[in-house]
Amino acid sequence: MVCNSLQKYYNETMIAKTTHINDTKNLVGSLPAVRYTEPQYLYIAMANARCPNAELFIKEGDHVNSCQVIGMRHAAFFDQPIHATCSGTFVGLEKHYHRNGKLTDFIKIENDFKDTLDPSVKQRTPEEIAALTKDDMTEIIKNCALVGLGGSSFPTYIKFQTNKPIDIILINGIECEPYITADHRLMLEFPRRVIDGIKYAMQAFKCNKAKICIKSKYKDIKQVYEQVLKEYENSGIEICCVKNYYPQGWEVAMIKEATGIQLKPGELPSNRGIMNFNVSTMVGLYKAIKYNMPVIKRFITITGDGIKNPMNFRVRVGTSVRDLLSQYCGGYINPDKDKVFIIGGPMMGNSVPSDDIIITKTVTSIIILDKEDYVEQPCVRCGSCVLSCPVHLEPVQIMNAVKSLDKERIKMLNPLRCIECGLCAYSCTSKIHVTDYIRRAKVFAKL
Amino acid sequence: MAIFKQNAPHLRRNASVTRMMVDVLVALAPTLIFSFIIYPIKTLIFYLISVVIMEAAEFIYVGLKGIMPNDGQKHSFKERFNYAYKGKYNQNNILTAAITAIIYTLIMPAGAPIYAVIIGALVGIVLGKLVFGGLGSNIFNPAAVGMLFAKVCFGSQYAKNVPTWYYTVADVTTAPTALSNSAGTLNGLIENFNNANFLDMFIGRMYGTLGEVYTVTILVGAIYLLIRRSADFRVMLPYLGAFALFSLVAGLGFYAVDGTTNPGAFTLFSLLSGGVMFGGVFMLTDPVTSPINSPSRIIYALVAAVSTVFIRLFTAYPEGVGFSILIANMVAVVLDHYEWSSPRYTWKKFLTMGLLIIIPAAIIFLVIKFGGVYHA
Ligand code: SF4
Ligand code: SF4
């Protein structure tokens, strides 16, 4: 307790390395997720940021089954099937806001509340599963369109295609961004699914060690897993508590903390025999292997200072945020104040100009904040941004280089190494949006 | 209610430039009050002069920067005023000028004539700060610039030996600081040292400028700044530490020559005399004129310490803090050059730091022992 308040004090002092972000997580983290929210309509995205083109296999008025393949997204080097997430009737296309902040076409399906499953969904017996090789699993998750559910939306099957020997699998349950508690709830509520998923991954990579990384302040998760892991003898899975820093969920920081290995900038973890997944991806893997089922439900957090009742949910992919807000969250706290809608965490998430947001597979949270106008002061070169940057850049120097449009200087300062954690703007004593300058520097550096 | 789009990150830390400046003001307050008690009239006059000049300069500067471009239409004075000042002149402009004024007041000797104070204040704020672009853009410490300008131009007209009730050690020296010595030799320095009373030095009962002599209040301010972290300890502590080390080496040199000087006591004497504490706590740590990353800040502090000691021991100037701050400010610009500036500690930087300590220490010892500058 004393330690915490000291830490907090330290972070708010002037010339200091920022490692913590004030949040309200404790409030929502202990709320059980609201389930069985069955909306009237569900919306499935056509294209997304990684797959710019998509084609549709169904016509208006067609009946679809839950988990049925209703279309295909095309990207430069892979295709991704689109699955229906409930059973019902295809009504047509509608434009809504996608996670990436753009207006996108969504497939609108009227829910018939029967949840008839597609015939492709079938339960595999333990023997069948034990016989699966990595290539079989790669094929299964490719057909189930499993992607990194922590927000990266990187296709998981590509990670499975590596030929490098894997010694250890790290499961990222850190959720280092403030406010988000979706993974926290998932880990508490479905520990066996998480562990089964990890076991399948270990089977695929023929590795016998896995670590579930969580923040050391989450004693509740630790207790649950220590108990549940007793049921799995000699599983090789352990729980690993990492420090409560931001950005501890960044893979380089997590790997350093869990294994002691320091990756070089740009190096893939698999080069060092490490494979890392998000916890929710593991549950997706469990569903795909065990039931041959795509991700049709996920945990999300709707929270922020702007709404009355912050909540955790387990909803069908395709639910509209507007419905959830009005039905469960009790509306806004100060309805006349301007709001910001953030998809993802408040440090790295995108903001969207409307509340008309659809929950896709990779949305972890919706954060609604009262808009605050920060007045930028001149930079006093305090150095907090330099101290805080986890990749040891000098944000203020990059900012000055961008202001003077000096391309050579920008390149020398390596802005491409920036992970856009947002700490430089967060910690700036002058309230300058330093991260924005870094983004511009990246554009320059790529020229 | 409207929903806005903005770029991540969406949160900001609870810290501001204003708070940093208020912290510095609070840290300066004890020294200012002490100085006011000892020298009520001088402190008040000097402070009023410099604060009026500096606030006015800052105000006019913001106005000049915001002159409306000629768009062929007539604008009322109010419109022009709003154009120049709205959103551009705020509490920070007032605070920064006030801090500069306080520091400037406290480093002026009580014997300085009024016109020297006025000219120094003007030069300090205009040439030391505003020509570079105001808050955040200056490379030199404006207070040091003003003080040194006044001293170099009008130093010979400074009154010596300004009397107050506080002084009882009147026979130490006839010059403004405990460091000055009639002949400008190290023998004079050691003579001062032998006559010094440490308790008196600690509470400021000695000759010096208006504020820099009150070590006790400066220490209070330093502790406050370090707790609030409004000054970087990476500047303050290496500076004072390296300075103490060099003084110790010098003391050892004196001991090697005469066999009586106590090196430890000499170190304490050096720390307590002159503007080392004040400069190291309030002036060198100004983030605007420090380098941006931590290793560079340590190197910067070491450079300042080396130059302070060298100016003190081996030049005709008895006191080197002002000059060494300006020298370090120049080095800061070099340290921040993009080709080598990086927040990582590398062996090259450690080597630089090591050399910055070892070479000057060796020079100091050897020159004092064998250089014939000090005679037993
Ligand atoms: S956003 Fe980039 S530059 Fe800023 S602190 Fe994070 S990694 Fe460093
Ligand atoms: S950009 Fe902000 S945090 Fe960085 S040195 Fe300047 S004032 Fe400090």
Side-chain angles (χ1 to χ4, degrees):
Chain A
M1 214 38 235
V2 179
C3 200
N4 271 350
S5 29
L6 264 182
Q7 192 97 50
K8 208 169 154 192
Y9 171 75
Y10 174 81
N11 265 306
E12 305 218 328
T13 51
M14 307 303 308
I15 303 176
K17 180 178 167 69
T18 305
T19 48
H20 286 245
I21 313 255
N22 289 339
D23 67 359
T24 57
K25 206 168 205 169
N26 294 341
L27 175 74
V28 201
S30 27
L31 279 181
V34 176
R35 302 194 195 177
Y36 311 113
T37 61
E38 291 289 346
Q40 179 83 39
Y41 294 103
L42 284 162
Y43 308 85
I44 321 287
M46 290 282 285
N48 62 24
R50 287 193 190 264
C51 315
N53 306 312
E55 65 179 306
L56 203 55
F57 298 160
I58 49 177
K59 301 188 304 296
E60 258 169 62
D62 279 0
H63 178 83
V64 295
N65 289 328
S66 187
C67 307
Q68 181 186 339
V69 177
I70 54 175
M72 188 68 86
R73 298 188 190 113
H74 300 293
F77 56 99
F78 63 91
D79 291 342
Q80 191 178 56
I82 307 175
H83 296 92
T85 55
C86 70
S87 61
T89 325
F90 171 47
V91 193
L93 292 180
E94 251 180 41
K95 280 208 187 293
H96 296 281
Y97 279 95
H98 191 266
R99 161 171 181 272
N100 57 20
K102 295 202 186 95
L103 262 183
T104 314
D105 277 333
F106 279 82
I107 304 160
K108 185 175 183 184
I109 296 172
E110 184 171 5
N111 197 346
D112 62 5
F113 301 106
K114 293 201 191 95
D115 204 12
T116 4
L117 285 175
D118 198 64
S120 64
V121 176
K122 54 176 191 296
Q123 187 166 354
R124 291 194 176 87
T125 61
E127 292 76 37
E128 277 175 312
I129 293 173
L132 290 175
T133 64
K134 194 170 87 179
D135 293 339
D136 301 333
M137 287 205 197
T138 311
E139 200 52 37
I140 295 172
I141 56 180
K142 188 175 175 186
N143 291 335
C144 290
L146 187 63
V147 295
L149 297 180
S152 72
S153 60
F154 186 75
T156 311
Y157 82 89
I158 295 181
K159 277 188 156 177
F160 267 64
Q161 277 172 343
T162 177
N163 295 322
K164 308 233 167 64
I166 299 296
D167 316 320
I168 184 163
I169 296 182
L170 294 183
I171 306 303
N172 188 344
I174 298 172
E175 226 172 20
C176 64
E177 285 225 44
Y179 290 97
I180 314 180
T181 50
D183 284 352
H184 187 166
R185 286 321 299 175
L186 168 83
M187 294 186 76
L188 280 184
E189 295 182 23
F190 294 131
R192 291 185 183 81
R193 295 189 192 178
V194 172
I195 293 171
D196 280 335
I198 298 172
K199 286 186 76 178
Y200 299 154
M202 290 164 78
Q203 179 192 335
F205 290 107
K206 297 201 182 62
C207 93
N208 44 25
K209 231 167 110 193
K211 277 189 178 173
I212 308 174
C213 300
I214 56 164
K215 277 192 181 179
S216 47
K217 72 175 172 194
Y218 293 147
K219 301 268 179 328
D220 48 354
I221 304 186
K222 189 163 179 241
Q223 277 170 0
V224 167
Y225 280 79
E226 274 171 355
Q227 190 56 43
V228 176
L229 279 171
K230 284 189 191 142
E231 300 164 15
Y232 296 77
E233 272 172 46
N234 299 328
S235 60
I237 303 174
E238 38 180 302
I239 191 104
C240 164
C241 293
V242 301
K243 296 200 196 94
N244 301 321
Y245 290 144
Y246 179 82
Q248 195 61 261
W250 173 41
E251 59 178 28
V252 176
M254 179 185 77
I255 291 171
K256 174 94 203 346
E257 179 86 25
T259 65
I261 295 175
Q262 174 75 55
L263 295 184
K264 293 193 199 70
E267 189 182 16
L268 281 179
S270 56
N271 278 356
R272 300 289 194 93
I274 301 165
M275 191 44 85
N276 58 328
F277 294 109
N278 187 277
V279 263
S280 35
T281 316
M282 284 299 100
V283 176
L285 182 71
Y286 164 82
K287 284 270 179 181
I289 303 290
K290 181 107 186 182
Y291 300 104
N292 206 21
M293 214 174 175
V295 179
I296 59 165
K297 287 187 185 167
R298 73 154 298 137
F299 279 85
I300 64 152
T301 306
I302 297 187
T303 181
D305 315 333
I307 52 162
K308 282 215 183 91
N309 308 324
M311 293 236 181
N312 295 305
F313 292 94
R314 183 160 186 268
V315 295
R316 281 183 194 274
V317 171
T319 308
S320 154
V321 170
R322 219 179 237 171
D323 296 351
L324 292 178
L325 273 180
S326 56
Q327 280 177 29
Y328 298 93
C329 295
Y332 304 107
I333 284 183
N334 289 317
D336 35 309
K337 271 209 193 145
D338 292 342
K339 299 275 186 286
V340 181
F341 271 67
I342 304 155
I343 303 185
M347 296 299 284
M348 306 175 77
N350 268 322
S351 97
V352 275
S354 156
D355 61 351
D356 182 15
I357 311 162
I358 305 298
I359 292 161
T360 59
K361 267 190 286 205
T362 49
V363 171
T364 53
S365 61
I366 309 286
I367 296 168
I368 296 130
L369 298 177
D370 286 336
K371 183 174 166 61
E372 278 191 57
D373 290 310
Y374 299 104
V375 186
E376 287 198 3
Q377 306 290 341
C379 164
V380 292
R381 300 166 48 81
C382 66
S384 300
C385 52
V386 181
L387 286 170
S388 305
C389 179
V391 289
H392 304 289
L393 296 177
E394 293 183 302
V396 51
Q397 302 259 55
I398 300 178
M399 173 175 89
N400 290 338
V402 169
K403 280 187 186 160
S404 56
L405 297 177
D406 186 341
K407 230 193 310 180
E408 190 202 346
R409 201 158 115 207
I410 295 175
K411 276 193 187 146
M412 287 287 286
L413 292 166
N414 273 329
L416 291 179
R417 294 231 315 267
C418 163
I419 55 168
E420 299 204 12
C421 65
L423 272 177
C424 43
Y426 178 79
S427 63
C428 180
T429 48
S430 295
K431 305 273 183 284
I432 303 173
H433 205 312
V434 191
T435 315
D436 251 4
Y437 285 101
I438 314 285
R439 292 198 184 103
R440 271 156 65 189
K442 285 184 168 182
V443 177
F444 275 113
K446 277 185 199 147
L447 285 182
Chain B
M1 184 193 87
I3 296 172
F4 281 89
K5 195 167 161 51
Q6 67 186 22
N7 288 344
H10 307 276
L11 300 176
R12 293 292 186 281
R13 167 168 91 111
N14 189 4
S16 68
V17 181
T18 309
R19 212 189 80 185
M20 178 145 84
M21 297 212 257
V22 171
D23 276 351
V24 176
L25 275 184
V26 171
L28 278 166
T31 315
L32 187 66
I33 292 169
F34 217 103
S35 162
F36 182 71
I37 293 171
I38 311 292
Y39 273 115
I41 300 172
K42 287 271 175 193
T43 310
L44 197 65
I45 292 178
F46 282 19
Y47 180 61
L48 283 181
I49 290 175
S50 44
V51 84
V52 166
I53 289 178
M54 290 181 179
E55 294 288 0
E58 182 87 28
F59 189 78
I60 295 171
Y61 170 76
V62 174
L64 287 179
K65 217 166 125 183
I67 285 185
M68 248 187 192
N70 191 356
D71 56 359
Q73 283 167 18
K74 268 205 174 300
H75 291 285
S76 70
F77 176 75
K78 205 175 158 206
E79 267 177 336
R80 288 175 180 278
F81 186 86
N82 278 345
Y83 180 83
Y85 288 100
K86 215 156 184 201
K88 290 178 202 152
Y89 188 81
N90 54 27
Q91 74 277 16
N92 290 343
N93 298 65
I94 298 174
L95 283 172
T96 163
I99 291 175
T100 312
I102 294 181
I103 293 182
Y104 176 73
T105 307
L106 292 180
I107 56 176
M108 285 305 274
I114 300 292
Y115 61 88
V117 178
I118 296 176
I119 292 175
L122 257 179
V123 167
I125 192 79
V126 176
L127 291 186
K129 185 162 185 192
L130 299 182
V131 289
F132 293 104
L135 174 62
S137 313
N138 48 317
I139 17 183
F140 293 115
N141 189 311
V145 171
M147 183 271 278
L148 284 175
F149 187 83
K151 191 167 168 182
V152 170
C153 294
F154 311 109
S156 55
Q157 281 134 47
Y158 283 11
K160 308 260 159 82
N161 230 347
V162 186
T164 74
W165 57 269
Y166 200 57
Y167 288 108
T168 52
V169 280
D171 59 338
V172 171
T173 159
T174 50
T177 81
L179 284 173
S180 301
N181 41 74
S182 38
T185 62
L186 293 179
N187 281 60
L189 179 67
I190 292 298
E191 203 175 300
N192 288 345
F193 162 59
N194 289 335
N195 291 330
N197 173 334
F198 285 129
L199 182 67
D200 279 344
M201 294 184 80
F202 189 62
I203 57 174
R205 230 153 42 170
M206 60 169 173
Y207 292 102
T209 69
L210 279 178
E212 70 183 19
V213 292
Y214 309 115
T215 309
V216 52
T217 53
I218 296 172
L219 277 179
V220 172
I223 291 169
Y224 179 77
L225 280 182
L226 287 183
I227 291 179
R228 302 285 288 181
R229 290 178 137 258
S230 286
D232 201 341
F233 66 89
R234 293 175 196 84
V235 175
M236 198 191 289
L237 301 183
Y239 176 72
L240 296 177
F243 180 82
L245 184 82
F246 293 141
S247 303
L248 185 69
V249 171
L252 286 173
F254 293 133
Y255 177 76
V257 174
D258 63 12
T260 52
T261 309
N262 178 347
F266 181 75
T267 309
L268 195 60
F269 168 79
S270 305
L271 275 174
L272 292 179
S273 58
V276 173
M277 292 297 279
F278 190 84
V281 170
F282 293 114
M283 294 164 74
L284 203 64
T285 52
D286 179 358
V288 176
T289 50
S290 320
I292 198 72
N293 56 55
S294 351
S296 302
R297 281 185 178 173
I298 295 176
I299 295 176
Y300 157 86
L302 293 180
V303 168
V306 171
S307 33
T308 311
V309 171
F310 273 54
I311 294 174
R312 263 196 188 185
L313 293 179
F314 304 132
T315 68
Y317 275 99
E319 169 62 326
V321 176
F323 282 117
S324 60
I325 288 174
L326 295 193
I327 292 172
N329 288 165
M330 285 192 281
V331 173
V333 179
V334 178
L335 286 172
D336 269 347
H337 190 67
Y338 63 90
E339 276 180 50
W340 46 75
S341 135
S342 135
R344 283 176 192 274
Y345 287 88
T346 58
W347 65 268
K348 272 190 204 160
K349 289 180 190 169
F350 282 123
L351 190 70
T352 315
M353 291 173 204
L355 291 180
L356 269 174
I357 291 174
I358 292 168
I359 294 181
I363 293 178
I364 291 168
F365 185 81
L366 293 178
V367 168
I368 290 175
K369 179 89 198 346
F370 303 110
V373 290
Y374 177 61
H375 312 282

